[in-house]
Structure formats: C-alpha cells, structure tokens
C-alpha cells in the first residue's frame, strides 16, 4: 500500500489544476498526477484570448504555470508519472503509477483528450519528419516553407494563423466548404494573405522519402485526385478522450467521454470527472477550470460524510 491521499487528481490541465487549487485550499491532502507537461493541451496555445482576467491574452504555457503555482501555494502535491491502473474500492481506491502506488479516498479524473490522427498511410511513419500535431512546438522549423493544416475547427485556424508567421504559404485543407471555427478566427484567417483554403478536400496519403514531400488529396465532390507538394503537415482535426483505463468501470458515451452529472459525479461514489474527458464538455480552458472546481467541491462533500 502506498501513501494515502484524500484526493488524487489525474491530469494537470486547467481542470486538474483548478481542482487541485480548490482541494488544496480546502485543506484536503491532494496529489495531482500528470504524465506529460503541466498545463495539458493549453500549452499548445500560443495565446489564450478568452480566459477571463487576461485582457491582452496569455500564453497557454504561462496560464498553466500560474494556476499550478497558485495551487502549490495552498499545498497541492504534484507527481510527474503515468497512471497505469486504477482499482476502485470504497474510500480505498488504488492508483498505480509508473512512480509507485497510492491510495485515494477520492479521485478526480481530469485526463483530458489527445490529438485525433488522420489515419492515412504515411502519417505515423512521418511524425516528427514533417507531420506534426502542434504548430506552437514545431512551427518555427518551417520558416519560408509551404505547409498544410488539416481541419476546419478553432485549432486548425489558430494553428494556421500561427504558422503564417513562419511559413511562406499555409494551405488549410478542410473536408467541407464551411468552417466549424469561430467567426473571429475565420475573419483573421481570411485577412491573412499567406493562408489559402482548399475546401471539400480530404488527405488520402502523406508521401515522402524520410521527410514529408507531398500530400495526395481527394476532392470530396468529384473524387478528383491531386498532389500538393509541401514540407510540413499539421493535423488539427480534434481530439479523443484519454479514458481508456475507465472502460468497463465507468459509464462512457459512444466516443469514450466519461458521463457525469452536473456535480461531476461518475457512477462510482467518490470518483469524479472534469474537463475535456467529460461527456458534453464545452472543451474550453475556462469551462474545464469550472468543472475542476465543481469536482473539488463535490469531493470535499463526499469526504465529509
Ligand atoms: P473540433 O472538433 O472543433 O474541429 C475538428 C475539425 O476537424 C472539424 O472541422 C472537423 O470537420 C475536422 N475533422 C474531424 N475529423 C476529421 C477527419 N478524420 N478528417 C478531416 N477532417 C476532420 O476540434 P478543435 O480541436 O478545432 O477544437 C476543439 C475545442 O477546442 C473546440 O471547442 C474549440 O472551440 C476549442 N478551441 C478553442 C480555441 C480558442 O478559443 N482559442 C483554440 C482551439 C480550440 P467537420 O467540421 O466537417 O466536422
């Protein structure tokens, strides 16, 4: 048996960090476990413009660090490790990690989501060799080059705008003729001369000999095949929940998101879910933070009985 915590939080994005802040400030003995980088997916955002309190915007990395710092100041403990197994048991949930086992009286699952892959030939083979899922991380490598962004949501358009600072040309390839992205991003992208939209088109293959050389494209309206020569492909087609270890334990929707009620309670008493991993999440940093706070308040109530 490992160290006992009143609350173990799995995931260090806005949901987990805000949950950690609320738990620690309520004097609950709390451990937050993060397998990657503190901040979660917002670390990929060059500038977060819609988190209240930052009228000039703030970088995703800075926002994550600030919430973390605030939570630590109230006593949150943080562990960088991967959760390998959870065995639920009333008030004695076992949380196994790559750094050892812990006992959790309650758990907040805030494991977020991971980038969705295109699933076309060449994608896996060329990751890191021209295929990327993070413009903020890899964009500067493509100075003066032609790149493509796949997708039509907020992620795709913010990535395209960021990439236009470095690349000579940014092609946004979208499977429909209408963007899903917010109007404000759409307007900015339309005003950026380096960005060009390729509508009603899907990528069928990524080709290259060691590094990305070209994309094979298919027009969804007339099935016409074309080739686009480039050096970088940024895939921004949404994400999938990081919930695999909860299959069979909790109720998940058909896409794998964890079902909770409005108190963030799952079907197991003492186990809560918050943020992007949760069914019906608005998938915004601010709503994730709100979920985390709600989950923490629910955990505190659970522990007081
Ligand atoms: P979304 O799910 O919003 O958009 C995914 C896009 O990818 C859609 O345009 C979709 O097409 C397309 N797509 C999905 N699967 C495929 C596929 N297999 N092949 C080709 N295209 C595909 O995901 P995002 O990551 O863009 O955004 C997620 C959430 O994060 C949203 O709530 C968004 O508002 C938020 N966000 C907010 C930001 C901000 O405010 N600063 C920045 C980034 C994200 P289709 O439209 O046809 O379904």
């Amino acid at each position: 048996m490992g160290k006992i915590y009143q609350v173990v939080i799995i995931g260090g994005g806005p949901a987990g960090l805000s949950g950690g802040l609320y738990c620690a400030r309520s004097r609950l003995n709390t451990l937050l476990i993060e397998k990657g980088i503190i901040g979660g997916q917002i670390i990929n955002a060059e500038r977060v413009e819609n988190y209240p309190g930052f009228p000039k915007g703030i970088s995703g990395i800075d926002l994550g660090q600030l919430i973390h710092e605030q939570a630590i100041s109230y006593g949150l403990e943080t562990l960088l490790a991967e959760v390998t197994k959870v065995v639920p048991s009333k008030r004695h949930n076992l949380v196994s990690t790559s750094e050892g086992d812990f006992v959790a009286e309650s758990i907040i699952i805030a494991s977020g989501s991971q980038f969705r892959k295109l699933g076309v030939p060449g994608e896996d083979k060329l990751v890191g060799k021209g295929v990327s899922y993070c413009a903020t991380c890899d964009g500067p490598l493509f100075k003066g080059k032609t790149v493509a962004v796949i997708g039509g949501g907020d992620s795709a358009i913010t990535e395209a705008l960021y990439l236009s600072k470095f690349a000579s040309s940014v092609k946004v390839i979208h499977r429909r003729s209408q963007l899903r992205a917010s109007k404000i991003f759409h307007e900015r992208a339309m005003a950026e001369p380096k960005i060009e939209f390729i509508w009603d088109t899907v990528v069928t293959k990524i080709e290259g000999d060691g590094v990305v050389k070209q994309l094979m494209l298919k027009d969804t309206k007339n099935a016409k095949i074309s080739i686009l020569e480039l050096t970088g492909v940024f895939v921004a087609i949404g994400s999938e929940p990081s919930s695999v270890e909860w299959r069979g334990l909790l109720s998940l929707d058909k896409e794998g998101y964890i079902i909770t009620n409005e108190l963030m309670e799952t079907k197991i008493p003492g186990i809560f879910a918050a943020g992007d991993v949760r069914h019906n999440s608005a998938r915004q940093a601010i709503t994730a933070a709100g979920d985390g706070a709600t989950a923490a308040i629910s955990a505190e109530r659970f522990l007081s009985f």
Side-chain angles (χ1 to χ4, degrees):
M1 280 279 190
K3 188 171 171 186
I4 299 174
Y5 286 91
Q6 286 173 294
V7 188
V8 166
I9 299 174
I10 302 172
L17 291 170
S18 303
L21 167 64
Y22 269 69
C23 287
R25 199 166 169 276
S26 296
R27 303 283 180 254
L28 297 173
N29 180 22
T30 305
L31 175 69
L32 182 148
I33 304 171
E34 166 58 50
K35 72 172 176 186
I37 298 172
I38 291 292
Q41 281 210 20
I42 51 159
I43 63 159
N44 300 320
E46 187 212 8
R47 188 139 293 270
V48 180
E49 294 176 347
N50 51 8
Y51 198 94
F54 299 96
K56 293 189 177 132
I58 180 168
S59 83
I61 289 180
D62 287 350
L63 180 59
Q65 279 176 358
L66 283 174
I67 310 174
H68 190 210
E69 207 177 288
Q70 196 176 354
I72 287 174
S73 74
Y74 289 103
L76 176 73
E77 287 182 45
T78 311
L79 176 73
L80 290 180
E82 182 159 12
V83 173
T84 51
K85 196 176 171 192
V86 180
V87 182
S89 175
K90 200 177 170 196
R91 291 230 177 193
H92 284 85
N93 305 288
L94 177 69
V95 181
S96 297
T97 79
S98 52
E99 299 294 321
D101 292 350
F102 301 93
V103 174
E105 290 183 44
S106 68
I107 295 175
I108 297 175
I109 307 161
S111 44
S113 55
Q114 58 212 359
F115 301 118
R116 184 179 286 139
K117 290 186 167 189
L118 274 174
V120 297
E123 183 179 17
D124 285 343
K125 195 179 73 180
L126 293 165
V127 170
K129 294 164 184 155
V131 174
S132 171
Y133 300 85
C134 174
T136 319
C137 319
D138 300 327
L141 303 173
F142 294 88
K143 199 163 186 297
K145 311 277 188 204
T146 297
V147 299
V149 177
I150 321 299
D154 283 341
S155 297
I157 305 308
T158 48
E159 301 246 305
L161 286 163
Y162 182 68
L163 287 165
S164 69
K165 293 185 190 180
F166 310 98
S168 57
S169 169
V170 182
K171 320 277 185 196
V172 176
I173 301 171
H174 184 34
R175 62 185 178 183
R176 293 189 296 133
S177 56
Q178 208 179 355
L179 290 179
R180 180 180 293 275
S182 333
K183 195 100 181 98
I184 188 165
F185 291 139
H186 190 172
E187 285 166 6
R188 283 182 198 167
M190 288 298 188
E192 170 51 59
K194 283 189 189 170
I195 297 179
E196 180 196 332
F197 287 90
I198 303 178
W199 304 107
D200 298 306
T201 298
V202 289
V203 176
T204 56
K205 202 172 179 188
I206 304 173
E207 295 180 320
D209 188 12
V211 289
V212 168
K213 289 263 164 60
Q214 60 188 35
L215 296 181
M216 195 177 282
L217 305 177
K218 186 167 124 186
D219 188 309
T220 55
K221 289 205 160 142
N222 57 21
K224 205 175 141 209
I225 302 291
S226 60
I227 298 289
L228 174 65
E229 290 187 5
L230 38 59
T231 49
V233 189
F234 290 82
V235 181
I237 59 168
S239 43
E240 292 165 346
S242 305
S243 62
V244 70
E245 62 271 45
W246 299 100
R247 266 186 217 148
L249 292 174
L250 299 177
S251 302
L252 308 183
D253 69 13
K254 64 177 184 350
E255 289 176 309
Y257 292 94
I258 297 171
I259 294 174
T260 67
N261 63 14
E262 71 277 13
L263 298 175
M264 308 300 138
E265 293 168 328
T266 68
K267 74 171 194 185
I268 302 182
I271 300 189
F272 307 87
D276 285 15
V277 75
R278 190 174 76 80
H279 171 73
N280 262 350
S281 158
R283 289 188 273 163
Q284 303 289 309
I286 183 63
T287 57
D291 277 8
T294 305
I297 292 165
S298 295
E300 187 182 6
R301 282 199 192 125
F302 168 81
L303 293 167
S304 66
F305 288 113

